[in-house]
Amino acid sequence: MSSGGKLRFMSWNSNGLKSKISRVRSEIEKQECHVVFLQETHSNEDLEKLEDWKSIYTKQTSPNTGVAILIRKDIFDESCYTVERDHDGCYIVVKCTLKGQLFTLVSLYNPPANTRPLIKLRNVIEKNADSILLIGGDFNTTLNPYLDRNSKTKNKQHLSLNPVVEVFMTSFHLVDVWRRFHPTECEFTYKSSKRPGKAVKSRLDYLFVPEESMHYIKTCEISKEECCSDHQPVLFEIWMSKEESKKPEFCDYPFTGEWLRYKSIYQTKHDWTKNPHTPPVMKEEIEKAVESLAVNQKQDDRPDCIPLSFYVNNLYNLIPDLCAFCNNILQQPVNIPESFNEAFKVSETYYRFNVDYLILATVMARRLHDHLESHSVEYTDDRKKENKAVLFTFKEQPIKVSWSVLRKFLAKEMDKVKTTPPIPDTYLIDIFYRVLKNSSCGKYKLLCWGCPLTPVLMTLCLKCIANEMIEMVQDQTSKIFISRENVVVRFSLDFDKELNNLKEKYIFVECKLVDECKPIDANPSEDLR
């Protein structure tokens, strides 16, 4: 980065602007923000009254939508920026330079039970996003109904949008930033006003950031102060420091010959029909993997000095060799060089890997993710008083898991009925051994942020530990709900002894009652939103 410093952002559903622009201005100034994502503005003309701000907004006919992005004029480069607007006022995408750093900023309002905006926005981001992508908005769904709502009943609108949001997040390796910073907490951004004293609260407003940009985010909080909306602002800070990036060696090469000579591990090709149980990696999987990573093309400082932009610009020529390499690994044992999983340690929890590593890890992660999804259950609303839900998550990052434990969990999944595409046979377990990084002492495998396999392997570990507890309790009515970075199990039988035993066995996992995560007043009697 050419310059450093702190940037403070706010994402907020203001629930209209007309007749309260002065109060909106006061809220923004009180939070001392540099950039503001606004949703459900309804009418945007009044934003021109904010003299110190560059106001970029949608012009829609619907009175119930409208989004905007406000940027302080003293940090905004007026001479160079691009804008993509949704004609229905559901999203706006601004690519601009702030303090010398390129950003792609997105403000989204997703109307209840409407899947169209996210599908359209996904296409826009694929074509336009670059460098640091920040997505703030009201998604009108909860990612984890147990933690992100205080109502005990189903919300059909939330459940209909949830799968679309999950696909959207997976497409770009997006992180729910607030949940990453607060893995076991329950806070809400929306409060219904229909029944004072029995208000239903939900966390509907999110900040999403690609995993590769997550290390820039230093804080993320939900404001607890009174404001002039039924939604609370989500506040976050980015700290940018000067980084000396290596000059990419291959960014000027239009052909793949030099790259192939450098990447000698790609030169040996094998017949992938030798193992018919494992479907070959197809070019579509490679294309999707590269597309999901493409929002980070400016992240040039890789261990091998080959930037993502090289793969994007030369993808057509590279695909045959990338497919061959992935199939070499997934179809039969090969000797993977130790340097293959080398990475820059950007922070205590985040590593930046080479692009070819990320492509293979993404393919493996998506296959394993499809398998886990096929064995998950839908959220149920059977929260009877005698039932209790237990949250399983990890205590600290990066996650250190002994290979014997991880291997046991992988083997359990291999025994299950295969899905399409299936998890390859047992030998693939050893591929995980070679692909994952070791801890400094060599005793553990690191599930570190920056590796596409980390989220899905976290889910695998938590799911297996939850299943182990179900077997210990012998509760045939228990159900597992799989969410991002945590798992919830609902029991109808007592389990205190089994829970304590599990905590002692898996010291890297935090297990606690969901009710212990929630505020004292989180007990409404009916569902409003």
Side-chain angles (χ1 to χ4, degrees), residues 417-440:
V417 178
K418 300 294 190 295
T419 60
T420 304
I423 297 179
D425 291 329
T426 306
Y427 73 82
L428 181 57
I429 295 176
D430 296 325
I431 303 301
F432 282 93
Y433 178 80
R434 293 198 287 271
V435 168
L436 297 174
K437 289 189 72 64
N438 292 318
S439 65
S440 56

Side-chain angles (χ1 to χ4, degrees), residues 22-155:
S22 60
R23 287 185 289 169
V24 171
R25 183 208 300 265
S26 298
E27 183 68 30
I28 293 173
E29 292 177 349
K30 178 176 65 177
Q31 301 297 348
E32 299 181 343
C33 297
H34 297 89
V35 181
V36 180
F37 302 151
L38 291 177
Q39 302 90 39
E40 214 173 345
T41 53
H42 302 167
S43 174
N44 287 316
E45 287 74 15
D46 286 338
L47 289 174
E48 297 297 340
K49 298 177 181 178
L50 304 177
E51 301 88 357
D52 297 332
W53 296 83
K54 174 65 178 179
S55 300
I56 309 171
Y57 49 82
T58 57
K59 297 180 180 179
Q60 70 285 339
T61 57
S62 171
N64 300 317
T65 59
V67 293
I69 294 179
L70 311 181
I71 305 173
R72 261 182 30 188
K73 290 182 178 179
D74 59 346
I75 66 166
F76 182 68
D77 184 355
E78 186 82 35
S79 64
C80 184
Y81 71 98
T82 62
V83 183
E84 290 283 340
R85 295 179 174 88
D86 176 44
H87 296 303
D88 295 320
C90 292
Y91 63 78
I92 189 167
V93 180
V94 177
K95 189 187 296 186
C96 61
T97 300
L98 307 177
K99 290 190 173 182
Q101 169 64 42
L102 181 63
F103 286 86
T104 301
L105 309 176
V106 181
S107 182
L108 169 80
Y109 173 67
N110 203 94
N114 188 346
T115 61
R116 183 201 63 82
L118 276 177
I119 295 173
K120 286 183 63 179
L121 178 60
R122 178 181 171 184
N123 293 330
V124 172
I125 290 176
E126 284 179 352
K127 295 176 182 178
N128 297 281
D130 203 352
S131 198
I132 301 179
L133 171 65
L134 304 176
I135 305 172
D138 177 0
F139 285 76
N140 264 308
T141 190
T142 54
L143 296 180
N144 186 326
Y146 287 98
L147 295 180
D148 296 332
R149 296 182 71 238
N150 69 341
S151 174
K152 295 183 178 182
T153 58
K154 278 188 177 182
N155 185 301

Side-chain angles (χ1 to χ4, degrees), residues 439-456:
S439 65
S440 56
C441 65
K443 295 181 179 179
Y444 305 97
K445 286 297 179 181
L446 285 182
L447 303 186
C448 53
W449 298 125
C451 174
L453 283 165
T454 291
V456 70

Side-chain angles (χ1 to χ4, degrees), residues 229-296:
S229 173
D230 53 357
H231 288 253
Q232 292 296 114
V234 178
L235 307 166
F236 58 101
E237 289 185 356
I238 287 182
W239 285 84
M240 300 182 300
S241 58
K242 292 183 179 181
E243 295 179 358
E244 295 296 330
S245 299
K246 296 181 180 179
K247 171 69 175 174
E249 297 179 8
F250 290 84
C251 58
D252 296 328
Y253 283 83
F255 305 108
T256 59
E258 185 71 18
W259 173 77
L260 279 173
R261 284 193 291 274
Y262 184 77
K263 292 285 186 180
S264 58
I265 55 176
Y266 289 86
Q267 295 178 7
T268 304
K269 297 179 175 61
H270 298 279
D271 181 7
W272 61 53
T273 61
K274 290 183 178 179
N275 189 349
H277 300 292
T278 304
V281 174
M282 307 303 290
K283 75 169 189 174
E284 291 78 13
E285 290 182 273
I286 300 294
E287 289 172 346
K288 288 182 179 179
V290 174
E291 287 173 359
S292 70
L293 300 168
V295 295
N296 298 295

